[in-house]
């Protein structure tokens, strides 16, 4: 990077893919704001990042709370003043017991809960951080989605709350990209692949670092990079 330190906020950065994205951006020279709702887990992640040589600090952030998100934006404005990168990584799968995500017995409370984190949370955080992002020279927003949200691929187990939440996240990403078309703000969605984290019960050989790579790539796109797309390691993911 050029001599000026850039700041990146990663939501849900206390573990899994989010922590790996924070680590990767930190290794590239970004100062990383670790957005996490649990203070002990947040500070533990900050310590881990610092121990590996990354400039990191914690930001209390529950993406489902308007108050928490507003306080996080105020906190970042005080400490950093500007934001170069926002990675909306925080996400949940939602309960599946008792047919909760079988479409024929779908628990609408589960749908609401999943949408509140995976979609409304992204909108909440993005809009709260926009004034800070607009201060940056080349702002980048990355929404961590999933190929389970691809209407074309129809991959993974039937999960009628989680998969549509990622379809909607993809659609919202496109709306933001259209809105930002004439600006320097670049927004894209990515799929990390099937990664060994708490989310999947570590039932994969793909590491969090491998899953983080595409988000890091999109967070560091040049000014003529793609906008409003959906990407994984292989390139474009079908909508
Ligand atoms: P993970 O290990 O379960 O981590 C999820 C992170 O999100 C945790 O830090 C969690 O914090 C945070 N989070 C959840 N709700 C939050 C809230 N309301 N406010 C703030 N943070 C919140 O899962 P992961 O596998 O790393 O998943 C990260 C992202 O990748 C998700 O968006 C997921 O949908 C996506 N993804 C994962 C896979 C995969 O195979 N793992 C595949 C495709 C897409 P707590 O520790 O406080 O719960």
């Amino acid at each position: 990077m050029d001599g000026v330190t850039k700041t990146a906020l990663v939501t849900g950065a206390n573990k899994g893919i989010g922590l790996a994205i924070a680590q990767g951006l930190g290794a590239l020279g970004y100062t990383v704001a670790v957005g996490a709702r649990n203070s002990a887990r947040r500070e533990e992640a900050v310590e881990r990042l610092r121990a590996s040589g990354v400039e990191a600090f914690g930001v209390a952030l529950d993406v489902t709370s308007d108050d928490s998100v507003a306080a996080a934006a105020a906190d970042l404005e005080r400490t950093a003043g500007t934001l170069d990168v926002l990675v909306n990584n925080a996400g949940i799968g939602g309960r599946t017991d008792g047919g909760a995500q079988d479409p024929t017995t779908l628990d609408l409370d589960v749908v609401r809960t999943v949408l509140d984190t995976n979609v409304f949370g992204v909108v909440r955080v993005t809009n709260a951080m926009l004034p800070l992002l607009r201060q940056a020279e080349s702002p980048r927003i990355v929404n961590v989605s999933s190929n389970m949200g691809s209407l074309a691929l129809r991959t993974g187990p039937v999960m009628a709350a989680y998969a549509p939440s990622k379809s909607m996240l993809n659609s919202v990403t496109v709306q933001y990209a259209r809105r930002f078309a004439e600006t320097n703000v670049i927004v894209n969605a990515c799929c990390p692949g099937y990664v060994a984290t708490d989310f999947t019960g570590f039932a994969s050989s793909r590491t969090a670092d491998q899953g983080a790579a595409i988000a890091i790539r999109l967070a560091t796109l040049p000014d003529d990079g793609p906008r409003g797309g959906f990407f994984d390691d292989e390139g474009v993911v079908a909508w």
Side-chain angles (χ1 to χ4, degrees):
M1 284 195 328
D2 52 28
V4 188
T5 303
K6 293 185 171 184
T7 304
L9 169 64
V10 183
T11 70
N14 54 288
K15 66 178 180 180
I17 297 165
L19 179 58
I21 294 169
Q23 178 73 58
L25 288 173
L28 292 175
Y30 287 78
T31 296
V32 182
V34 174
R37 54 186 167 175
N38 176 282
S39 58
R41 288 199 290 269
R42 183 174 62 245
E43 288 320 307
E44 201 180 309
V46 167
E47 287 313 316
R48 272 182 68 175
L49 290 165
R50 284 182 181 157
S52 70
V54 167
E55 284 285 337
F57 62 97
V59 175
L61 180 62
D62 179 343
V63 304
T64 65
S65 159
D66 289 343
D67 288 349
S68 170
V69 170
D75 192 9
L76 272 169
E77 177 158 32
R78 265 194 314 276
T79 49
T82 172
L83 194 59
D84 297 278
V85 167
L86 167 64
V87 182
N88 287 304
N89 163 78
I92 57 170
R95 273 185 37 236
T96 55
D97 57 288
Q101 293 205 40
D102 178 329
T104 65
T105 53
L106 187 58
D107 184 332
L108 294 180
D109 285 336
V110 173
V111 176
R112 285 186 198 96
T113 302
V114 171
L115 287 177
D116 200 20
T117 300
N118 294 3
V119 182
F120 309 153
V122 171
V123 173
R124 236 181 237 113
V125 173
T126 300
N127 290 352
M129 300 301 162
L130 257 185
L132 292 175
L133 286 159
R134 289 193 195 279
Q135 302 289 326
E137 211 174 288
S138 302
R140 303 288 177 260
I141 302 171
V142 182
N143 294 334
V144 180
S145 183
S146 168
N147 56 17
M148 282 183 64
S150 165
L151 303 182
L153 297 177
R154 303 179 184 195
T155 186
V158 171
M159 284 181 80
Y162 178 71
S165 80
K166 294 301 191 181
S167 309
M168 187 171 177
L169 177 59
N170 289 347
S171 185
V172 163
T173 302
V174 171
Q175 296 304 310
Y176 273 110
R178 292 179 65 197
R179 181 68 174 76
F180 293 146
E182 306 303 325
T183 77
N184 57 354
V185 184
I186 296 185
V187 59
N188 287 287
C190 69
C191 175
Y194 190 60
V195 174
T197 64
D198 279 343
F199 194 92
T200 56
F202 291 88
S204 173
S205 57
R206 189 170 164 80
T207 66
D209 286 346
Q210 290 172 316
I214 183 62
I216 294 165
R217 180 129 49 94
L218 294 174
T220 55
L221 282 175
D223 289 340
D224 61 353
R227 291 163 174 255
F230 183 24
F231 301 95
D232 66 10
D233 283 350
E234 310 294 314
V236 171
V237 182
W239 295 116

